[in-house]
Amino acid sequence: MAETVERGGGQRRIAVLGAGKMGEALVSGVLRAGKPAADVLVTARRADRAAELAERYGVAAVSNAEAAKRADTLILTVKPQDMAALLAELAPHVPSDRLVISGAAGITTAFVADQIGVPGLPVVRVMTNTPVLVDEAMSAISAGAHATDEHLRRAEEIFRPVGKTVRVPESQQDAVTALSGSGPAYFYYLVEAMIDAGILLGLPRATAHELIVQSAIGAAVMLRDSGEHPVKLREAVTSPAGTTISAIRELERHSVRAALLAALEAARDRSRELAQG
């Protein structure tokens, strides 16, 4: 018989399976948000990694089978190519009253449910991103066929401590993966190019880095807090016949906007390919 997993005060056990960097950040976030360490389990491929997490956070390191038996919510944080093997290992041990949350790009809730093979199993799909490490993640949450509004709320409670959440239909998850899942890499790529430009213009690397990073932070905060459309914010910097419009003319001449559109389409298509194995 499955262990009763809900305890006093409505606390539920969660298990983070395959806890790499993203999984560890999630563990750290829910603990900072006040979840007792006794209600958090972790699994890892390597025993030394599991022991490290247990020592660092005071959580229990268990096997995948034990996590399925003891935790109310199973959060799968392995890479897409490792998901099938993990699901096969879990399948004999997952009761129908568990909530399964999948965080792997391209892996559908239907695939997770089919591989586990438990009728009516609620599965929620979440695409988060690496700013989870600094509590500034963007996490998009989608319900599988048997996931209710309550299951979505439980997923939101787990991911809100490490950033912002939004609900989307699962049909939009490949686009989410392309836009925000991979999104931080695009900004790093842009910042890298701008730092190189600063060096080309005669600035020391450290100075160029500081100038661009702070400019990026300031621009992001203005986008978030002003409520203004990015076009309006850009126009506020773009004086007639000035330096900014000269730079933007060059960006348009080199089709930077079109390149970004094509890049995100390529990322979306790759996400779809991952779902097909």
Side-chain angles (χ1 to χ4, degrees):
M1 180 178 294
E3 179 182 335
T4 300
V5 292
E6 188 170 346
R7 282 168 300 292
Q11 290 289 344
R12 297 176 182 270
R13 267 200 197 117
I14 67 169
V16 179
L17 282 68
K21 287 185 178 180
M22 297 284 277
E24 180 179 356
L26 192 58
V27 169
S28 177
V30 297
L31 292 176
R32 288 196 307 277
K35 194 164 191 67
D39 291 335
V40 181
L41 309 176
V42 296
T43 80
R45 179 179 293 180
R46 302 191 331 270
D48 60 332
R49 170 63 175 167
E52 175 190 341
L53 293 171
E55 182 178 357
R56 184 174 298 164
Y57 298 104
V59 300
V62 299
S63 67
N64 290 325
E66 188 70 11
K69 295 174 186 176
R70 294 176 56 190
D72 175 83
T73 302
L74 308 175
I75 307 169
L76 315 182
T77 63
V78 297
K79 292 180 171 60
Q81 59 267 33
D82 298 327
M83 184 63 78
L86 174 61
L87 295 175
E89 185 179 349
L90 289 174
H93 308 288
V94 178
S96 59
D97 63 347
R98 300 312 194 237
L99 169 61
V100 177
I101 299 176
S102 171
I107 302 297
T108 66
T109 58
F111 177 84
V112 173
D114 290 346
Q115 294 296 303
I116 294 178
V118 176
L121 181 71
V123 181
V124 169
R125 181 174 170 182
V126 179
M127 174 47 60
T128 191
N129 55 18
T130 55
V132 69
L133 296 165
V134 292
D135 295 345
E136 291 291 350
M138 183 69 249
S139 302
I141 299 175
S142 302
H146 301 288
T148 66
D149 192 69
E150 171 61 20
H151 295 126
L152 290 174
R153 283 199 296 270
R154 281 164 57 183
E156 288 168 340
E157 287 172 3
I158 292 168
F159 282 87
R160 275 187 187 136
V162 292
K164 189 173 181 179
T165 64
V166 63
R167 296 185 187 185
V168 300
E170 188 171 7
S171 61
Q172 295 178 1
Q173 279 285 5
D174 292 320
V176 168
T177 300
L179 193 64
S180 66
S182 300
Y186 314 146
F187 289 106
Y188 302 145
Y189 183 87
L190 179 61
V191 166
E192 178 188 3
M194 293 178 74
I195 290 171
D196 285 346
I199 295 168
L200 178 66
L201 298 175
L203 294 171
R205 178 175 292 275
T207 301
H209 182 276
E210 185 173 6
L211 289 168
I212 294 305
V213 169
Q214 183 56 38
S215 295
I217 293 169
V221 171
M222 287 184 70
L223 275 168
R224 184 191 65 192
D225 295 349
S226 70
E228 297 284 2
H229 193 282
V231 169
K232 195 164 185 179
L233 292 174
R234 178 181 60 77
E235 287 177 343
V237 188
T238 311
S239 304
T243 58
T244 305
I245 193 62
S246 296
I248 289 171
R249 180 188 62 185
E250 288 302 305
L251 292 173
E252 294 292 353
R253 189 168 71 85
H254 288 84
S255 301
V256 171
R257 187 187 302 266
L260 283 170
L261 293 172
L264 268 67
E265 283 186 322
R268 179 207 57 196
D269 293 346
R270 179 56 181 154
S271 181
R272 289 175 176 171
E273 290 171 4
L274 289 171
Q276 297 168 4

